[in-house]
């Protein structure tokens, strides 16, 4: 699996370095048929214009052919690793005066399948140029594996920016937000497959969608709400039960601000090291009433750290943080991140994740995606989570019921399964963004819609990745790579070979080598 590589980074990107790498390549495109002549004849502006005039809210904007290795965008290096392809450009009305950039990509060497492109966070698409080391199936990765694919940015950016969703007067753009929840991806899928069928003269034999985090939520939303769109789905670390994720990820800030006590990071790190070393609590959900957790907690006060010993007051705040958000009358607002979840960046890892980092003023940084969703709910674009009392926070949790159209809790995949669809869910127990308990609870609810465990296993399988992080291979535990996950899903969909196990690995991208390898079994 290892190969020699030029690991000199291009500005802001490693996408060209990783295209074609075994972590991201699961289709041998060299042996695929070449559809260039057919695409020249059928993927024309006239033909596409006649098709897309029938799409509600769609406006055709052109077709461009890109020879091998020559695609680029302003400020980005050319995609030298890609073969020739056609790009069909479409404008998509996504509500509240916004127009999305909707594109369909058609490779000359086609594997006969269609791939939808999901996003992340509050974005319908993640910037392909900077996603080289993430488990993000961007359109260049799809093209490199021979898929026709479609993507739409929902006019909400692609850089995990969280500053959209409000009109100039501060009013939330509800129609635009609802497009992000699910409508835009569904329309992109339907018309992306229509364009693909016209261009190649035949319909895709199978359609797939992979997404991680917010993209994982999109994957599950597709399966529940639009079960005919895809044959194979893979949701990695899905931010499903979105409200639970939002309130859980913001809870440490609310606790620190309301308790008026700052626990140094070094003390959380010491508690984490002890938790990881304690086999009795390991990957289990935090439960302070459990005897094993009680034994662990009883030993924390007085533990020496470089910031001084853990005091009784430190302990009280830490436990309140690990417990997760509850209302004053005991209702859970979200599942928690326990002491065995690393909440800060690794020295050599991706710096994006980790809540226990501080702003220049000393206050905790927040997950901006979660704060923006709460701002929509509060209808206040300037709301600062640091300024909320416990009662303010609880009031927002109650207010979420005013938006039943934001139904992030739907788990009925039975219609998707009935038409032969296959779903893989992967979740790391070291995820610092989506509480792993959240995903496991969703799968338990999903099971209620199937006649038996066997019936569910025929269509939907959950794979638990020990201590793996969020959508990456270089966190505190091994995870499933894009290539391994997509190869398994493809075999399940096209050959009927259900994967009992999936390969997992923790990867050192800087030295292009696996640090840990293994397998994980499915467990619904």
């Amino acid at each position: 699996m290892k190969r020699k590589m030029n690991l000199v980074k291009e500005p802001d990107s490693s996408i060209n370095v990783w295209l074609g790498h075994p972590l991201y390549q699961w289709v041998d495109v060299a042996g695929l048929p070449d559809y260039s002549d057919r695409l020249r004849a059928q993927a024309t502006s006239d033909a596409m214009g006649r098709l897309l005039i029938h799409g509600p809210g769609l406006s055709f904007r052109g077709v461009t052919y890109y020879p091998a290795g020559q695609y680029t965008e302003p400020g980005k290096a050319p995609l030298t690793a890609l073969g020739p392809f056609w790009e069909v450009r479409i404008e998509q009305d996504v509500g509240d005066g916004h127009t999305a950039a909707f594109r369909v990509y058609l490779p000359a060497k086609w594997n006969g399948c269609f791939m939808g492109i999901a996003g992340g966070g509050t974005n319908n698409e993640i910037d392909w140029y900077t996603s080289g080391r993430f488990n993000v199936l961007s359109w260049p990765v799809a093209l490199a594996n021979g898929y026709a694919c479609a993507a739409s940015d929902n006019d909400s950016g692609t850089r995990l920016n969280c500053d959209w969703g409000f009109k100039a007067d501060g009013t939330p753009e509800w129609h635009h937000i609802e497009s992000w929840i699910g409508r835009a991806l569904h329309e992109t899928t339907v018309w992306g497959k229509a364009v693909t069928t016209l261009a190649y003269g035949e319909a895709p034999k199978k359609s797939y969608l992979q997404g991680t985090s917010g993209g994982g939520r999109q994957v599950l939303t597709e399966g529940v709400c639009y079960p005919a769109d895809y044959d194979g789905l893979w949701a990695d670390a899905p931010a499903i039960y979105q409200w639970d994720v939002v309130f859980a990820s913001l809870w440490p800030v609310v606790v620190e601000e309301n308790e008026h006590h700052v626990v140094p990071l070094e003390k959380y790190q010491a508690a984490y090291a002890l938790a990881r070393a304690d086999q009795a609590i390991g990957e289990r959900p935090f439960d302070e009433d459990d005897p094993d957790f009680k034994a662990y907690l009883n030993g924390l006060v007085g533990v020496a750290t470089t910031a001084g010993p853990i005091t009784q007051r430190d302990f009280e705040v830490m436990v309140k943080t690990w417990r997760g958000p509850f209302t004053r009358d005991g209702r859970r607002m979200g599942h928690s991140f326990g002491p065995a979840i690393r909440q800060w960046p690794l020295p050599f890892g991706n710096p994006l994740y980790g809540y226990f980092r501080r702003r220049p003023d000393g206050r905790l940084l927040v997950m901006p995606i979660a704060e923006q969703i709460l701002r929509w709910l509060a209808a206040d674009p300037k709301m600062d989570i640091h300024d909320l009392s416990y009662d303010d926070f609880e009031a927002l949790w109650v207010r979420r019921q005013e938006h039943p159209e934001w139904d992030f809790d739907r788990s009925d995949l039975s219609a998707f399964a009935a038409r032969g669809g296959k779903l893989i869910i992967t979740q790391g127990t070291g995820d610092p963004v989506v509480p792993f308990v959240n995903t496991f609870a969703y799968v338990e609810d999903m099971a209620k819609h199937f006649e038996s465990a066997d019936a569910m296993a025929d269509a939907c399988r959950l794979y638990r990745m020990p201590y793996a992080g969020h959508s990456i291979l270089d966190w505190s535990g091994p995870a499933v790579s894009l290539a391994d996950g997509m190869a398994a899903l493809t075999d399940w969909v096209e050959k009927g070979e259900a994967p009992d196990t999936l390969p997992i690995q923790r990867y050192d991208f800087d030295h292009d080598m696996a640090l840990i390898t293994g397998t994980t079994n499915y467990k619904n």
Side-chain angles (χ1 to χ4, degrees), residues 312-462:
Q312 180 63 35
R313 184 61 178 141
D314 292 332
F315 173 80
E316 293 168 356
V317 172
M318 293 164 82
V319 169
K320 195 174 186 73
T321 298
W322 293 331
R323 187 183 298 140
F326 281 87
T327 62
R328 290 193 182 275
D329 61 2
R331 291 172 293 167
R332 179 181 290 281
M333 293 187 281
H335 292 286
S336 67
F337 299 96
I341 305 294
R342 179 185 285 274
Q343 290 285 347
W344 51 90
L346 292 167
F348 60 85
N350 195 296
L352 175 65
Y353 304 130
Y355 301 131
F356 293 154
R357 292 180 291 158
R358 298 199 175 275
R359 308 189 312 192
D361 63 4
R363 297 173 115 178
L364 276 177
L365 286 169
V366 302
M367 169 56 88
I369 296 165
E371 186 172 43
Q372 185 69 358
I373 293 174
L374 219 56
R375 284 173 176 154
W376 295 340
L377 185 60
D380 181 0
K382 298 184 182 297
M383 185 198 77
D384 186 339
I385 191 69
H386 297 84
D387 298 332
L388 298 187
S389 67
Y390 285 132
D391 289 338
D392 293 334
F393 196 62
E394 180 176 332
L396 284 173
W397 181 77
V398 172
R399 189 171 179 176
R400 83 201 189 288
Q401 299 172 4
E402 298 176 7
H403 295 281
E405 72 277 10
W406 293 14
D407 188 355
F408 297 121
D409 298 345
R410 291 169 288 189
S411 59
D412 186 356
L413 273 292
S414 59
F416 173 73
R419 57 175 299 276
K422 307 300 181 186
L423 166 66
I424 285 174
I425 300 176
T426 48
Q427 178 62 57
T429 58
D431 193 327
V433 178
V434 172
F436 70 88
V437 184
N438 198 67
T439 301
F440 297 168
Y442 180 83
V443 172
E444 289 178 2
D445 285 344
M446 185 194 304
K448 298 173 184 176
H449 301 285
F450 288 89
E451 293 181 356
S452 66
D454 287 343
M456 180 173 171
D458 283 342
C460 308
R461 296 190 174 194
L462 166 69

Side-chain angles (χ1 to χ4, degrees), residues 211-252:
T212 186
S213 191
R217 179 198 61 76
Q218 289 179 299
V219 167
L220 294 173
T221 299
E222 272 284 322
V224 170
C225 299
Y226 311 105
D229 279 0
Y230 291 97
D231 302 290
L233 300 174
W234 175 13
D236 180 41
I240 200 67
Y241 288 170
Q242 185 86 63
W243 293 125
D244 289 39
V245 175
V246 166
F247 284 92
S249 60
L250 297 175
W251 181 243

Side-chain angles (χ1 to χ4, degrees), residues 121-180:
T122 54
N123 297 104
N124 278 56
E125 183 182 2
I126 300 299
D127 180 50
W128 59 266
Y129 194 65
T130 56
S131 62
R133 296 187 178 192
F134 291 89
N135 259 11
V136 172
L137 211 163
S138 60
W139 65 261
V141 174
L143 277 184
N145 283 277
Y147 292 85
C149 59
S152 171
D153 66 3
N154 196 44
D155 197 27
S156 54
T158 60
R159 294 263 186 162
L160 291 177
N161 49 307
C162 306
D163 55 358
W164 67 277
F166 286 97
K167 299 177 183 177
D169 63 1
T171 305
E173 297 177 328
W174 299 122
H175 197 57
H176 191 199
I177 293 168
E178 290 163 18
S179 178
W180 158 72

